[in-house]
Every structure is written in C-alpha cells, then in structure tokens.
C-alpha cells in the first residue's frame, strides 16, 4: 500500500472528528438525511490458491514434472471509503472503494534442479470497487444498535510487485453488521454521525485463479449523514 495513503486517511479522520464533536450537542432521537459518506479500516483474511505442478512437455508428449508449487494469499489491513443513499428507512444502496496490500507466498518443492524447499514472496496492491443493497432492521432496544444486512458485486484489480503483472476480475459479497448513532440533528451540514461495524464474506474471481476464492473481512468505519 502506498505510504501516502496513511497520512491522507489520518488527516481526513481528524477533520471529520472535529466536525462530529462540534455537532454532538444537537441531538435528536432519529438520524435525518439520506446521503451517507463513510471512511474506515479493518482486516481482510487470506486464502489458499492451491497446489500446482510445473510440467515440461517432452518430445514424446509425456509431461516431465519440474517442481511443485503451493501458493497462499496472506491476510492484510484494508482501507475503505463508502457512499450510500437511503431509499427508505429500511432499504438503501451503497458503493465502496477499498485498497489492501496482501503478500503472495509460493512454496516450491520437488525441484529437479535444486533439492530442498524455497519460498517466493511478492506484494500485491489490490483495489476493489463494489456496490450493492443494504437492508436495515429494527433497532435493538437498550443497546443503541441497529443491525443490517448487505449483498452486492464488484470489480477487482490486482497490481503485482513492480506492476509487471496486472490481474482483473470480479467479486460477490454478502455480509452484515451493526451501526450505532452518536448524534443526529435536523439542521446543519452533517445531520448525523454513527459508527458502523461490518463482517463480510467476499467471493473473489481473478484471472489467474482456477477457482473462486472466499475471503472474510471485518471493518469499522465512521459514517456521516447529510
């Protein structure tokens, strides 16, 4: 992940926190406004990409195995930004952009030219743009939490180390979580602010993958309603 991303996120969160603090005293019972913007961070789980032999075709068309590989995509931190629009009190739509930098590790064994085990590691910049629907349920009395469910699809772009290889693909996701309203008010630029926690199951399908790969994610974000 580019080192310039982190300070930009911190500055943005600092500005939003000041605005939230200045408005916290003007609180009503229910958030007002339909347009939402959120920024957050979290964790994206890893996945196994499976084993794959490297074969060489001989003159007799019989494959000759050079070595075996076992590849894993590691877990990583994730930064995300989201925009949403409430169609009704229950249903809404939202779009999200996320960036992460997992490591791709390949273990090489049974090499006919070099005995032993070797591990090749490279970093990947992964960009995800997705969108879907949000269904909000009734608030949990006494806890101040509102549960929700989400589902949707998106586009995936992976840039391998030194950007020598670019992979594209898509993903489907289902998930859910809860939101906690910190304040709401009938007037002002920011009508409401809340904290949101998401748990998702992401099903990735990228060009060089043989099969769809499931990866879980957990994120927390600050949501501003306008």
């Amino acid at each position: 992940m580019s080192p310039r991303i982190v300070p930009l996120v911190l500055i943005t969160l600092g500005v939003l926190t000041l605005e939230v603090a200045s408005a916290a005293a003007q609180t009503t019972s229910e958030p007002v406004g339909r347009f939402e913007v959120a920024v957050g961070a979290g964790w994206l789980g890893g996945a196994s990409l499976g084993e794959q032999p490297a074969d060489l075709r001989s003159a007799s068309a019989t494959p000759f195995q050079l070595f075996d590989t076992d590849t894993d995509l590691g877990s990583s931190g994730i930064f995300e930004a989201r925009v949403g629009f409430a169609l009704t009190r229950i249903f809404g739509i939202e779009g999200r952009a996320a960036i992460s930098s997992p490591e791709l590790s390949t273990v090489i064994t049974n090499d006919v030219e070099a005995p032993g085990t070797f591990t090749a590691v490279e970093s990947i910049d992964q960009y995800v743009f997705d969108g879907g629907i949000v269904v909000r349920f009734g608030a949990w009395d006494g806890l101040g939490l509102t549960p929700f469910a989400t589902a949707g699809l998106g586009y995936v772009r992976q840039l391998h180390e030194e950007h020598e290889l670019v992979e594209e693909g898509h993903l489907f996701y289902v998930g859910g979580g809860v939101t906690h309203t910190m304040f709401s008010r009938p007037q002002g630029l920011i009508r409401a602010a809340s904290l949101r926690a998401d748990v998702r199951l992401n099903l990735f399908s990228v060009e060089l993958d043989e099969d769809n790969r499931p990866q879980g994610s957990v994120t927390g974000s600050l949501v501003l309603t306008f």
Side-chain angles (χ1 to χ4, degrees):
M1 186 180 300
S2 172
R4 293 175 294 180
I5 296 295
V6 176
L8 180 60
V9 170
L10 294 178
I11 292 173
T12 302
L13 288 176
V15 172
L16 296 177
T17 300
L18 290 176
E19 175 65 20
V20 169
S22 67
Q26 307 176 42
T27 302
T28 60
S29 60
E30 293 291 341
V32 291
R34 290 180 177 270
F35 181 68
E36 294 182 343
V37 175
V39 291
W43 171 86
L44 176 66
S48 174
L49 304 187
E51 300 180 0
Q52 181 65 42
D55 297 332
L56 178 67
R57 292 290 180 179
S58 64
S60 62
T62 301
F64 175 73
Q65 183 172 314
L66 296 175
F67 53 83
D68 287 322
T69 64
D70 188 2
T71 304
D72 292 300
L73 189 66
S75 59
S76 70
I78 181 173
F79 290 104
E80 65 178 18
R82 183 187 296 107
V83 294
F85 185 79
L87 301 174
T88 68
R89 186 170 293 276
I90 297 176
F91 297 100
I93 56 175
E94 64 181 15
R96 185 189 71 129
I99 179 174
S100 59
S101 295
E103 285 190 341
L104 188 68
S105 301
T106 301
V107 179
I108 302 173
T109 57
N110 300 322
D111 192 325
V112 297
E113 297 181 349
T117 301
F118 305 91
T119 302
V121 179
E122 67 168 327
S123 61
I124 294 177
D125 289 332
Q126 178 170 278
Y127 302 89
V128 174
F129 304 92
D130 59 41
I133 61 172
V134 183
V135 181
R136 296 179 177 86
F137 305 101
W140 291 338
D141 293 337
L143 297 178
L145 301 176
T146 301
F148 64 87
T150 61
L153 51 85
Y155 165 78
V156 182
R157 182 176 177 86
Q158 293 180 342
L159 303 180
H160 288 246
E161 198 166 283
E162 306 299 331
H163 294 179
E164 295 179 354
L165 176 62
V166 178
E167 293 185 79
E168 295 179 316
H170 60 270
L171 84 156
F172 299 95
Y173 70 87
V174 294
V178 293
T179 60
H180 171 67
T181 301
M182 295 186 292
F183 78 86
S184 62
R185 57 183 180 177
Q187 295 180 343
L189 174 62
I190 298 178
R191 300 294 182 87
S194 58
L195 298 177
R196 169 170 166 163
D198 280 78
V199 178
R200 294 191 0 170
L201 174 62
N202 307 277
L203 189 62
F204 288 87
S205 179
V206 185
E207 288 174 348
L208 296 186
D209 293 347
E210 291 188 354
D211 299 305
N212 294 334
R213 66 172 190 266
Q215 290 180 251
S217 63
V218 178
T219 59
S221 56
L222 171 65
V223 183
L224 303 180
T225 304
F226 298 87

